[in-house]
Amino acid sequence: MKDLVSIAQWSAARIRRLLDLALDVKRHSGRYRDAMRDRTLVMLFEKPSLRTRVSFEAAMTQMGGHAIYYDLGSSPLGRGKESVEDTARVLSRYADAIMARMFRHADIVALARHSGVPVINGLTNDEHPTQILADLLTILERKGRLDGLTLAYVGDGLNNVTHSLMLGVARLGLHMRIGCPDEAAYRPDPAVVRRAARLARASGARIDIVADAREAVRGADVVYTDSWMSYHIPEEQKAERMARFLPYQVNSALMRRARRSAIFLHCLPAVRGCEVTDEVIDGPRSAVFDEAENRLHIHKALLLHLVAGVPAPRA
Ligand code: CP
Ligand code: NVA
């Protein structure tokens, strides 16, 4: 598997090795100073980004390589003049790896299939695997373990971050409770639910979907939420979604339902006062900026692993 398109395609052992490598990179960044020398990452974007764009670019710079930002809106592909397949074939002749943020998940799948170099999914409408790797790294740092933990996710269930969390948790054997409105438009995609359930049977993970946010959060070790208006959601839906998701806001009252030691995570960007209040995101249990920083370290580890074939150090 040369790519990271979906976290479900990676074994638990491979994910854990990558987390170990990221911890090593974070502690000893100097060791990897030249690891990407003469290497180029092409970064394709169809949607906005702060963290993904800047952390991948900084990761390449800090390891002696180079990253090219390419706005797909001004590409032949974005203008309907070239196929995804040919774009992949051409980029593979120039670059050592491709990272892409696209609307359609099928486009990343096609990009990876026709690329001769590793392709990293930097978010599609359906999945956001690099985010979940950074989240797992943050949980591991804060809790010292992953096994036996319960992660509560509340808010928009039909969401790329929710989907990748479900698949990651199912791979690694954590527990997850999702609190979201009981309607198809807001619940996780049934195909992802089935896939996660299959993986969970093998790993011993448990994933429940409930309509009550308080039930989802009760006794959780990690409370997670995401924007109610993902990049691809049309503005016309805003008023309806705000009203529908309001009972799922992460505020102090909801956080009290979690364990005392629970941490709060959010992939960011956050809309304060909507999915999370200031007191929670700026409060002592919030780990959101460590989580954002960990994108940098996990991306370095990913590039080292996929491009330079670096194995994780022995534990
Ligand atoms: N969390 C995340 O992917 O942020 P960006 O959209 O800023 O890249
Ligand atoms: N679900 C969000 C994640 C942003 C990082 C979105 O797709 O916009």
Side-chain angles (χ1 to χ4, degrees):
M1 179 62 61
K2 69 173 175 53
D3 311 298
L4 175 64
V5 171
S6 170
I7 198 164
Q9 294 167 319
W10 280 36
S11 69
R14 193 175 184 191
I15 295 169
R16 287 180 194 272
R17 277 204 306 276
L18 191 83
L19 295 173
D20 284 346
L21 178 58
L23 288 172
D24 194 64
V25 166
K26 188 169 180 176
R27 279 192 207 115
H28 309 288
S29 59
R31 284 184 190 163
Y32 301 92
R33 195 177 294 132
D34 295 318
M36 287 290 129
R37 190 190 298 164
D38 298 332
R39 308 281 199 164
T40 302
L41 171 71
V42 173
M43 310 191 297
L44 309 179
F45 280 91
E46 272 182 343
K47 302 186 188 187
S49 173
L50 172 66
R51 282 141 288 267
T52 306
R53 175 182 174 176
V54 179
S55 59
F56 265 107
E57 185 161 342
M60 285 303 284
T61 305
Q62 291 173 19
M63 295 194 295
H66 180 65
I68 298 172
Y69 171 77
Y70 193 20
D71 173 7
L72 279 180
S74 59
S75 71
L77 169 63
R79 291 169 180 241
K81 304 282 188 198
E82 192 161 28
S83 67
V84 173
E85 290 78 1
D86 284 354
T87 303
R89 290 181 185 112
V90 171
L91 289 175
S92 307
R93 303 291 178 106
Y94 304 142
D96 298 282
I98 300 167
M99 189 275 290
R101 170 166 287 194
M102 305 179 87
F103 288 96
R104 285 160 31 92
H105 193 76
D107 283 344
I108 290 266
V109 172
L111 199 64
R113 185 169 304 136
H114 296 278
S115 161
V117 298
V119 170
I120 299 168
N121 177 355
L123 179 148
T124 62
N125 293 358
D126 300 327
E127 296 193 37
H128 194 5
T130 62
Q131 177 66 52
I132 274 50
L133 292 170
D135 301 338
L136 291 169
L137 181 61
T138 311
I139 297 169
L140 188 58
E141 282 182 330
R142 290 286 181 127
K143 299 281 168 200
R145 67 191 165 104
L146 295 175
D147 298 328
L149 297 181
T150 297
L151 187 155
Y153 174 95
V154 287
D156 184 8
L158 185 57
N159 176 296
N160 40 24
V161 169
T162 323
H163 288 162
S164 291
L165 279 171
M166 291 168 69
L167 296 169
V169 158
R171 265 292 184 210
L172 293 182
L174 286 76
H175 301 314
M176 182 170 177
R177 279 198 303 270
I178 300 158
C180 61
D182 190 17
E183 291 146 53
Y186 306 127
R187 282 171 63 91
D189 181 341
V192 175
V193 174
R194 284 194 297 275
R195 197 173 183 194
R198 266 199 311 276
L199 296 175
R201 274 197 290 281
S203 70
R206 196 171 154 194
I207 300 177
D208 297 310
I209 304 176
V210 297
D212 182 355
R214 288 169 308 175
E215 188 185 338
V217 167
R218 194 186 316 125
D221 300 286
V222 180
V223 179
Y224 199 123
T225 191
D226 184 11
S227 167
W228 296 339
M229 286 293 292
S230 284
Y231 293 129
H232 62 284
I233 304 290
E235 275 298 299
E236 304 88 82
Q237 292 185 18
K238 190 167 178 178
E240 190 186 328
R241 293 172 73 89
M242 295 292 139
R244 202 66 194 89
F245 288 131
L246 195 58
Y248 300 88
Q249 181 187 69
V250 181
N251 49 36
S252 299
L254 191 65
M255 282 303 286
R256 274 197 289 278
R257 300 271 167 170
R259 278 178 189 271
R260 265 178 193 282
S261 57
I263 59 168
F264 171 72
L265 296 181
H266 188 312
C267 57
L268 306 178
V271 183
R272 291 158 175 262
C274 287
E275 73 272 9
V276 62
T277 56
D278 283 337
E279 57 194 356
V280 171
I281 196 167
D282 295 329
R285 299 157 101 182
S286 173
V288 300
F289 296 108
D290 284 354
E291 181 187 9
E293 180 191 326
N294 279 338
R295 298 292 300 281
L296 174 68
H297 306 298
I298 203 77
H299 294 166
K300 283 184 179 174
L302 249 182
L303 291 163
L304 287 163
H305 178 58
L306 293 179
V307 177
V310 177
R314 284 188 190 284

